[in-house]
Structures are given as structure tokens and as C-alpha cells.
Amino acid sequence: MKQGRRFDGEVLFLIDSSTDVSELNYRRQKSFVVEMAKYLNTEPAKTRVGALVYSDSPSLQVSLGAQTSMDVFKQKVEHLPKFAGKRRVDKALSAASVVLSKARPSVPRIAVLLISGNQAEGEDFFSRSIEESLIAGIETYIVTIGSQVNLQKLRSLVAKPDDIFPVKTFDNLQKEAKPITEEILEGK
């Protein structure tokens, strides 16, 4: 598999582990994350990647720069635990802001949110998440999976509408890794 073009940055993947994501579809998300990371020049001195799993509460499972090679990152991602619960995007983005605010300041800091449904009912704190991301200088990209996602609501979380990448089904997710990565890197 060909590695990505030269890019130095901090990329944190936010993986949807909520109750309505099946085990199979959770594995598909993890495969997508690994595939996307392959195109990001993930050498320790270049792009550093990490993974945060979210549902009711987020959990940083792979710290930025914790891997010494793509193989180590792949192994860590393959063994990520699945947590069931409500989908709390706001908490995931807040946690990502904390993690990325401590990342190298001289390179782009990127959050890639994977989501397959809407924020838990009655839990709408996006404005605080947006503010935290802006203060930390984080670029947010969203990969929506399926048709159960309110794109209008998610547009407030990104700089421009093109920063949202709709994928029709979990089956199509892995083959979209390269084109999505290329689109994100075009702006760098």
C-alpha cells in the first residue's frame, strides 16, 4: 500500500462507538481509520495520529505520537474497545479540543469525526464545542455514514460545507479513505 504525500500534522480520529453502531460497523470504522492513516505520512517526526472512542463519554485510546510505526498504530486501532451508550458528539469534540490543544503548535491540528447518527436527544452543546475548537486552532472534518445524520446541524462544526464527507453506507467506508484524505490534504 502506497504511503501518503509529505504532510506534517496532528490528526485525531473520533470513532463513533454508540449503541446503534453494530460490532461489524465499528470494525469497519476502525479499518477506515487505519486506511486513512496510511495516506498521512505517519512517521514519528512527521504526522502523528491518535484515536478517541466516543459514546456517552469520550476515551482517548491512542495518544498522538504513541505509535512508532504504522504497524503499531494499526494494531492499537484494531484492539480499540467498543463502548455502548448515547452518541455525544459534543463531549467527543470537547475532549478532542483538549488533546489537540496540547499538540505541536507549529503544525496543523485536525480532528476527523466519524458519525453515523445524530447527537443524543436533548443533548445539544455544539456551540461550546465549536468555541473550544476555534480557540485551540483545530480544523474539524466530519465523515458521515448513512442517511440518519442531520447534515444541517453538523455544518456548524466545520469551516466550510466541503469539510463534511457523506458516505452512503458502512460498506463503502474503507474505499473512501484515500479520496477523503486527499481532499483534506489539498487544503494544507
Side-chain angles (χ1 to χ4, degrees):
M1 177 70 39
K2 186 179 177 196
Q3 295 291 315
R5 71 173 179 84
R6 184 172 173 76
F7 171 72
D8 297 344
E10 308 280 270
V11 180
L12 183 63
F13 295 97
L14 287 64
I15 304 170
D16 187 349
S17 176
S18 56
T19 300
D20 26 327
V21 175
S22 70
E23 286 291 336
L24 174 61
N25 289 338
Y26 185 63
R27 284 194 307 274
R28 288 175 172 154
Q29 284 184 90
K30 294 189 296 185
S31 294
F32 169 82
V33 166
V34 168
E35 194 66 22
M36 196 170 167
K38 287 179 184 178
Y39 298 106
L40 288 171
N41 194 27
T42 53
E43 299 171 24
K46 304 293 181 198
T47 299
R48 299 187 321 169
V49 292
L52 182 145
V53 176
Y54 75 95
S55 59
D56 278 327
S57 54
S59 176
L60 181 64
Q61 293 289 312
V62 182
S63 298
L64 291 169
Q67 69 286 343
T68 54
S69 70
M70 189 60 220
D71 289 335
V72 172
F73 179 72
K74 178 181 179 184
Q75 183 179 20
K76 287 183 177 192
V77 170
E78 286 174 348
H79 290 93
L80 291 176
K82 184 176 185 318
F83 307 113
K86 294 179 182 179
R87 182 177 291 109
R88 292 297 304 269
V89 176
D90 58 321
K91 288 184 175 184
L93 290 171
S94 290
S97 292
V98 171
V99 171
L100 289 168
S101 70
K102 297 173 184 173
R104 297 177 295 165
S106 59
V107 297
R109 291 175 282 175
I110 296 172
V112 178
L113 172 70
L114 283 76
I115 183 170
S116 63
N118 293 314
Q119 168 88 351
E121 204 59 40
E123 307 292 346
D124 194 12
F125 303 105
F126 283 167
S127 60
R128 188 179 80 220
S129 300
I130 296 166
E131 185 177 317
E132 291 169 347
S133 293
L134 290 173
I135 290 169
I138 298 166
E139 301 170 49
T140 302
Y141 297 91
I142 302 174
V143 178
T144 64
I145 309 154
S147 60
Q148 302 300 313
V149 181
N150 183 337
L151 293 175
Q152 194 65 26
K153 194 172 262 192
L154 292 175
R155 283 194 181 106
S156 66
L157 298 174
V158 294
K160 56 189 186 298
D162 289 347
D163 294 344
I164 298 176
F165 302 95
V167 177
K168 291 185 188 229
T169 67
F170 281 97
D171 292 337
N172 299 343
L173 193 56
Q174 191 165 352
K175 73 179 182 181
E176 294 296 327
K178 184 177 182 182
I180 290 172
T181 306
E182 288 173 347
E183 284 195 47
I184 289 172
L185 295 180
E186 275 181 21
K188 305 290 144 242

